Amino acid sequence: MKFLNRLVSSRWDIAFLQESLEEIVANRKIHFISVKNPFKKQYCCFADPFVLDVTDDSIYLLVEAMTSNNHKGVIAKLTIEKKTMTIADVHVVLEEPWHLSFPNIIRKDGRIFVYPESANGKHLYLYELKNNSYGKEHLERVDTLCDDVIWDTDINDLFNQNLLFTAHQDNYHLDIYQWDNSAKRYKYSTSLHSSRQNMRLAGALFPLNGKVYIPTQVSGYTYGQAVEIKEIKYDGSWKVQILRKINPPKGLFIDGMHTFNSYKGVTVVDIHRQADLLSWVVSKLVIFKKMISKHK
């Protein structure tokens, strides 16, 4: 069993982009800063990072975290020391009976709300970040946002409507939901379709210079290969236009990236890395087999 686990062993790690959002959207060359992770033995995965806060000394992230013994995601707060770009602390703020990921953030009236992806829990829930009696932060469930089984989501009013953007699991469709005030839930409205697997959200939509951009995952023969930045607009109908593709950095056994988020001038991504040469070769063989099957 240990040998079989080794064959498919991989991890997700955190990295930052040096360029500004303006430079990224303008298709400038990307430079990555990898984060040092002294918690590799406890956690095999820090993925889906969202920037919680930035101070002079530290960057705080909310991430999907998985331990080496339990491949069910929890939501953790990472403290990253800016000077050394090292994870200094890992604190789990939410665990449910189901898998959690993609901890997107709403900031309102000085309060912080989070709505992690919880498709295995059959609903989309809203949580508030609070301190318990010991002063430790945790996420407390305060509401239900949607009763559909949906994946990575972003809620915003960038188009002067209270909208929720999400995607089918297969990554070919971007779904748009509208807030139904009578039901107090987001309800399905419409879908945008693609012939490629490049529509699942990679992060929160963001405004820049009067336009709105949406980062999406690119998946083909394997999950989470890269990120695309698209312009999205509404003029009576929805339109998306691909502006650029961001590939993961070149490095030993690196073969993927599937999240892109920015806040307070800090842009964070996650990097997929095979554990060693053996698992990297196996992953390439699996991709090759899928390519052959598709073209038969």
Side-chain angles (χ1 to χ4, degrees):
M1 182 60 71
K2 287 184 178 180
F3 178 74
L4 291 177
N5 286 339
R6 183 186 169 196
L7 291 180
V8 295
S9 180
S10 64
R11 62 179 302 108
W12 288 92
D13 289 314
I14 303 299
F16 294 100
L17 305 189
Q18 293 188 28
E19 287 68 33
S20 67
L21 280 179
E22 287 85 354
E23 291 172 321
I24 293 167
V25 168
N27 211 8
R28 299 283 182 85
K29 185 177 180 180
I30 297 295
H31 299 85
F32 295 84
I33 304 173
S34 295
V35 172
K36 301 179 185 70
N37 180 9
F39 298 90
K40 288 181 180 178
K41 288 186 178 180
Q42 299 102 306
Y43 293 93
C44 65
C45 168
F46 289 137
D48 291 0
F50 284 78
V51 181
L52 180 62
D53 202 4
V54 181
T55 65
D56 290 340
D57 300 319
S58 301
I59 301 170
Y60 301 95
L61 304 177
L62 291 182
V63 302
E64 169 198 349
M66 287 194 293
T67 66
S68 301
N69 299 321
N70 184 2
H71 281 232
K72 182 192 76 171
V74 299
I75 304 304
K77 178 183 175 182
L78 303 188
T79 302
I80 297 173
E81 185 182 76
K82 272 187 177 180
K83 187 176 181 180
T84 61
M85 278 297 162
T86 301
I87 299 174
D89 184 63
V90 180
H91 172 56
V92 175
V93 293
L94 179 64
E95 182 172 3
E96 293 280 23
W98 50 83
H99 176 79
L100 296 165
S101 62
F102 210 78
N104 209 339
I105 298 168
I106 295 173
R107 297 170 177 87
K108 186 175 182 181
D109 301 328
R111 300 161 69 184
I112 294 176
F113 300 90
V114 182
Y115 50 106
E117 188 260 282
S118 55
N120 291 343
K122 310 300 182 185
H123 302 274
L124 180 66
Y125 297 110
L126 182 69
Y127 301 80
E128 184 174 0
L129 189 64
K130 296 184 177 183
N131 288 323
N132 62 20
S133 57
Y134 300 99
K136 280 286 190 180
E137 287 176 307
H138 69 286
L139 287 171
E140 180 179 309
R141 193 191 303 176
V142 293
D143 207 349
T144 302
L145 298 174
C146 185
D147 294 324
D148 292 353
V149 177
I150 54 177
W151 279 263
D152 308 335
T153 61
D154 183 58
I155 294 169
N156 64 74
D157 58 1
L158 294 172
F159 297 94
N160 299 315
Q161 302 177 67
N162 188 350
L163 301 176
L164 180 151
F165 295 80
T166 184
H168 287 283
Q169 191 178 25
D170 63 12
N171 203 3
Y172 286 103
H173 314 282
L174 175 68
D175 296 338
I176 302 173
Y177 282 60
Q178 290 185 315
W179 178 254
D180 185 322
N181 202 45
S182 60
K184 303 299 180 185
R185 295 285 193 275
Y186 284 96
K187 298 291 185 178
Y188 173 79
S189 175
T190 190
S191 294
L192 304 179
H193 306 284
S194 173
S195 60
R196 297 168 54 235
Q197 289 180 289
N198 67 340
M199 296 297 271
R200 184 168 175 171
L201 291 188
L205 281 71
F206 61 93
L208 185 66
N209 299 327
K211 297 181 179 180
V212 179
Y213 300 93
I214 179 170
T216 61
Q217 300 180 27
V218 178
S219 299
Y221 298 109
T222 186
Y223 171 72
Q225 294 172 297
V227 168
E228 283 181 347
I229 304 298
K230 298 178 171 74
E231 182 184 351
I232 181 168
K233 56 186 177 181
Y234 181 77
D235 55 5
S237 62
W238 290 98
K239 296 180 178 66
V240 291
Q241 177 185 357
I242 300 171
L243 298 181
R244 71 167 304 173
K245 180 180 178 182
I246 304 176
N247 290 305
K250 295 180 180 179
L252 192 62
F253 311 137
I254 293 175
D255 63 359
M257 177 177 76
H258 76 346
T259 309
F260 174 102
N261 281 295
S262 189
Y263 179 64
K264 284 191 173 181
V266 172
T267 300
V268 64
V269 298
D270 53 8
I271 303 298
H272 189 251
R273 188 192 307 268
Q274 298 295 332
D276 52 31
L277 179 60
L278 181 60
S279 60
W280 184 81
V281 169
V282 170
S283 71
K284 295 303 178 186
L285 289 173
V286 170
I287 292 172
F288 182 71
K289 182 180 178 182
K290 289 180 179 178
M291 291 174 66
I292 296 297
S293 299
K294 186 174 181 178
H295 290 92
K296 278 185 176 180

